[in-house]
Amino acid sequence: MKLVGIAGSIAEQSYNRMLLKFIAAHFSDQVDVEILDINDIPMFNQDNDISQGDALQYIARKIEGADGVILATPEHNHTVPAALKSLIEWLSYSIHPLDGKPVWIVGASYYTQGSSRAQLHLRQILESPGVGAISLPGNEVLLGNVKEAFDADGNLKDEGTINFIHSTLNKFLKFVKLINHVDQEDDDAWKNEDLEANHPVDTSVTNVDKNAKDWVEQAAVKTNAVDGKAYVKLDRGLLTVDQLNWFLKTMPIELTYVDDNNQFIYYNKTMEGKKMLASRTPDQVGDKMTDVHPPRAIPNVKRVIHQLRTGQKDLVAMPVPGNNATKHVMHYYKAMHDEDGSYRGVNEWVLDLWPIVSSYLKMTGKMLVDDPNNQVDANAGASQAGAAASADTDASAGASESAEETETVDVDANSGASES
Amino acid sequence: MKKFIAIVGSNSKNSTNRNLLKYMQKHFKSEADIQLAEIKDLPIFKKSPEKTVPEYAIELANDIEAADGVIIGTPEYDHSIPAALSSALAWLSYGQHPFVDKPVMITGASYGSLGSSRAQSQLRQILDSPEIKARIMPSSEFLLGHSLEAFDDDGNLKDDDTIKQLEGLFEDFLKFVAISEQLGGATAANMEEARNFNWEDNK
């Protein structure tokens, strides 16, 4: 579960930010909390709408991609700080990322009230029609006398307080699941992901048949593409196209570029297709996603790309079928973004983890043994991506009787992933 | 003649709350001297170790200090007062306390039918906080709904009943200011409390 945390104070010394940091660190095994900074957001003014600017788009994208939001508010003059209110006004004017989003309000203050009045104001604000956030009812976390609450390492001192925050967090996580489940329409949004590549973007080369075997050559002519000894300026460096090719072809991973129109436009042709971990052939470049995946894989591909495009996930990792004790091939899908934070496609890389693990074992004289307490669902990557893995894989099945014999460790990580 | 500062609670160029305050300035000119005050150029409130306050906020605080009362015209954004007004009130209670025991009348205009009712009730709580401690006129609410259609081309309120209600409230406010002048008993103590109050350390 992924949450974003926003501290309502822009003061340099903020106990509310400390409280968020504590929650993020202390419960990191349970939930992934990313803390956002709102210091650079200017005062809301309807005459000068900057909703489409970098700063607000960044925050909006983070909120949209998260399952829920934690707002930590101090109290000033019986209400929330102007900086927090200003942010919420921006997020309720021409963009509405908080709409339908589960929100957990917490607050720290220097004296006994613990921001109680500010929290009540905040609840009213969040439920206004333009904001539309859904705050967890009751369960007020009011951290009073905050100056004495933390130790030097930023940890809360009082065990009872930690337990209370933990139990409220658990309720919030259930609340998040419930609220996000209610929004069925959004659950199906991934189905609209267009794998036919019918929505050209500013970098798309149009009027070239995507299926053409020489798509690269045709598209290169259309765009007057440079090659060979021509120099390309990069962030950060200067290479000729030849140098760029030598460089990419010697990467110890198979790289694939799929642009934001779901068109396959590059791979670092390291060897011929059938020798690759994930086969690619020169004539496939230019193809739309539907032409390089079997029909049964299409729903998964749609889900993964949708998650990356919307920011629900930044990276999707999944093992492929056929892995065994001497091979553990992984596919990684990483969202790419431009300088404005807009989604620009998928960086896919494929590699076999086993040689890395194996050389580590050799160098250190260590060996793999089974963890008797192992609770890892070896299918996690695949099942998150929506694959049909439902079996409760017992990763220790093959090795439970002889934990010292590394050969017999047979992690079954393959049952679910249908991609390839 | 009484002198009032009328704070425009919006930082937008087109504000019907500003229009309403301008109308009051004109309509009540024989009874009071109403001076409009803008907050749109104030930066977002931020504490600093030196407790620096923008020059304009100090001038505005001095004007409020010197006035007999304050009128605040607030729009409603997301069920509450705009961040710009909230920020201005924070500057006007940061190391300076011009509102302590100052009579305040609240007006509000909104495009919809509710006329900023929720923002006004939050504003009352805010004005009641220890560092502001204004003397808010009780049991009085002026909510101007559908404010875009409320004025004629000359900036006058069109509806007679609305005008009568506003006149009645303003008459009450003048009396409230007069009574308030006789209620100085706790002012020194309130001022002391405001000065000593700190949201960061209540000891």
Side-chain angles (χ1 to χ4, degrees), chain A residues 72-223:
Chain A
T73 184
E75 178 165 306
H76 198 137
N77 289 342
H78 287 177
T79 192
V80 297
L84 177 59
K85 180 67 202 309
S86 172
L87 173 74
I88 296 173
E89 287 171 4
W90 283 121
L91 301 182
S92 60
Y93 187 58
S94 62
I95 53 172
H96 304 271
L98 285 166
D99 192 26
K101 196 62 71 179
V103 174
W104 180 28
I105 300 171
V106 298
S109 82
Y110 289 87
Y111 64 117
T112 47
Q113 289 273 326
S115 79
S116 60
R117 281 180 270 223
Q119 291 198 24
L120 281 175
H121 279 194
L122 187 52
R123 279 175 194 278
Q124 264 190 306
I125 291 164
L126 289 175
E127 73 172 23
S128 68
V131 183
I134 304 172
S135 54
L136 176 71
N139 294 292
E140 289 186 309
V141 176
L142 310 162
L143 183 63
N145 302 316
V146 76
K147 274 188 172 173
E148 282 81 45
F150 293 96
D151 67 17
D153 300 323
N155 291 312
L156 281 172
K157 288 191 247 176
D158 183 50
E159 201 61 35
T161 306
I162 296 173
N163 291 340
F164 176 70
I165 290 175
H166 192 195
S167 73
T168 310
L169 173 67
N170 283 334
K171 281 184 203 166
F172 181 62
L173 296 180
K174 282 184 201 158
F175 181 74
V176 166
K177 281 188 196 143
L178 198 70
I179 295 301
N180 289 338
H181 188 69
V182 168
D183 219 344
Q184 281 296 338
E185 257 181 19
D186 274 1
D187 282 359
D188 289 341
W190 61 270
K191 288 182 181 162
N192 298 326
E193 192 60 43
D194 173 28
L195 299 190
E196 296 288 335
N198 281 326
H199 296 81
V201 292
D202 57 353
T203 49
S204 295
V205 182
T206 47
N207 300 325
V208 178
D209 177 11
K210 294 190 183 74
N211 285 322
K213 287 191 190 322
D214 60 344
W215 179 87
V216 174
E217 284 69 30
Q218 287 191 46
V221 170
K222 277 250 183 281
T223 56

Side-chain angles (χ1 to χ4, degrees), chain B residues 162-179:
Chain B
T162 307
I163 295 171
K164 266 195 198 108
Q165 193 204 353
L166 186 60
E167 285 171 349
L169 281 171
F170 194 74
E171 201 183 313
D172 284 352
F173 185 55
L174 288 170
K175 285 179 191 153
F176 180 69
V177 170
I179 294 167

Side-chain angles (χ1 to χ4, degrees), chain A residues 10-12 39 41-47 75-90 92 109-111 117 120-122 124-131 147-148, chain B residues 11-14 40 42-47 49 77-84 86-87 89-90 93-94 111 118 121-122 125-132 197-203:
Chain A
I10 57 169
E12 274 128 46
N39 285 23
I41 308 292
M43 177 72 83
F44 173 79
N45 188 321
Q46 62 185 35
D47 300 340
E75 178 165 306
H76 198 137
N77 289 342
H78 287 177
T79 192
V80 297
L84 177 59
K85 180 67 202 309
S86 172
L87 173 74
I88 296 173
E89 287 171 4
W90 283 121
S92 60
S109 82
Y110 289 87
Y111 64 117
R117 281 180 270 223
L120 281 175
H121 279 194
L122 187 52
Q124 264 190 306
I125 291 164
L126 289 175
E127 73 172 23
S128 68
V131 183
K147 274 188 172 173
E148 282 81 45
Chain B
N11 59 359
S12 169
K13 281 196 283 287
N14 303 308
K40 59 181 191 302
L42 279 171
I44 207 157
F45 177 72
K46 187 177 178 176
K47 290 177 202 169
Y77 292 175
D78 302 332
H79 286 177
S80 71
I81 64 170
S86 178
S87 181
L89 292 172
S93 56
Y94 189 54
Y111 293 174
R118 285 177 268 221
S121 78
Q122 287 202 2
Q125 283 186 294
I126 292 165
L127 292 172
D128 212 21
S129 64
E131 283 183 293
I132 301 185
F197 188 86
N198 191 335
W199 287 100
E200 289 157 24
D201 199 356
N202 197 32
K203 283 175 191 157

Side-chain angles (χ1 to χ4, degrees), chain A residues 57 61 193-195 199 201-203 256-263 289 301-315 333-348:
Chain A
Q57 282 297 312
R61 194 160 56 79
E193 192 60 43
D194 173 28
L195 299 190
H199 296 81
V201 292
D202 57 353
T203 49
T256 300
Y257 195 121
V258 174
D259 73 7
D260 34 341
N261 184 30
N262 295 334
Q263 188 179 10
M289 283 295 96
V301 178
K302 283 190 173 188
R303 276 201 193 88
V304 169
I305 295 180
H306 180 74
Q307 286 173 323
L308 297 172
R309 186 187 294 280
T310 56
Q312 290 167 35
K313 290 215 167 74
D314 195 48
L315 175 71
Y333 306 86
K334 171 95 178 162
M336 296 186 285
H337 297 98
D338 62 18
E339 291 67 31
D340 299 333
S342 300
Y343 172 79
R344 292 318 309 251
V346 185
N347 177 353
E348 177 186 2

Side-chain angles (χ1 to χ4, degrees), chain A residues 207-415:
Chain A
N207 300 325
V208 178
D209 177 11
K210 294 190 183 74
N211 285 322
K213 287 191 190 322
D214 60 344
W215 179 87
V216 174
E217 284 69 30
Q218 287 191 46
V221 170
K222 277 250 183 281
T223 56
N224 299 316
V226 295
D227 61 9
K229 295 184 181 351
Y231 285 94
V232 182
K233 185 172 178 252
L234 298 158
D235 181 17
R236 182 63 188 158
L238 186 75
L239 298 171
T240 66
V241 177
D242 282 338
Q243 287 177 312
L244 201 50
N245 275 321
W246 302 331
F247 188 60
L248 290 165
K249 279 166 181 278
T250 50
M251 289 288 165
I253 53 177
E254 295 171 6
L255 286 165
T256 300
Y257 195 121
V258 174
D259 73 7
D260 34 341
N261 184 30
N262 295 334
Q263 188 179 10
F264 165 36
I265 54 169
Y266 173 80
Y267 76 105
N268 62 336
K269 189 167 148 276
T270 51
M271 58 187 94
E272 65 178 287
K274 48 181 181 252
K275 289 188 186 157
M276 293 173 70
L277 297 172
S279 171
R280 310 272 185 265
T281 55
D283 58 312
Q284 285 180 317
V285 180
D287 283 5
K288 48 195 200 260
M289 283 295 96
T290 43
D291 288 339
V292 289
H293 290 91
R296 66 187 162 83
I298 293 299
N300 260 351
V301 178
K302 283 190 173 188
R303 276 201 193 88
V304 169
I305 295 180
H306 180 74
Q307 286 173 323
L308 297 172
R309 186 187 294 280
T310 56
Q312 290 167 35
K313 290 215 167 74
D314 195 48
L315 175 71
V316 175
M318 57 174 96
V320 300
N323 284 337
N324 55 44
T326 56
K327 195 168 105 180
H328 193 85
V329 177
M330 292 292 297
H331 284 213
Y332 295 92
Y333 306 86
K334 171 95 178 162
M336 296 186 285
H337 297 98
D338 62 18
E339 291 67 31
D340 299 333
S342 300
Y343 172 79
R344 292 318 309 251
V346 185
N347 177 353
E348 177 186 2
W349 68 92
V350 178
L351 83 157
D352 184 358
L353 292 181
W354 177 249
I356 300 169
V357 175
S358 165
S359 85
Y360 171 80
L361 296 177
K362 220 173 266 172
M363 276 191 291
T364 57
K366 292 184 176 158
M367 63 180 182
L368 294 180
V369 290
D370 190 53
D371 176 359
N373 300 317
N374 171 45
Q375 288 179 348
V376 174
D377 174 5
N379 287 316
S383 56
Q384 271 171 13
S390 58
D392 225 340
T393 305
D394 179 3
S396 63
S400 54
E401 285 168 325
S402 53
E404 274 143 271
E405 289 174 29
T406 58
E407 292 80 12
T408 58
V409 178
D410 192 353
V411 178
D412 177 11
N414 350 332
S415 53

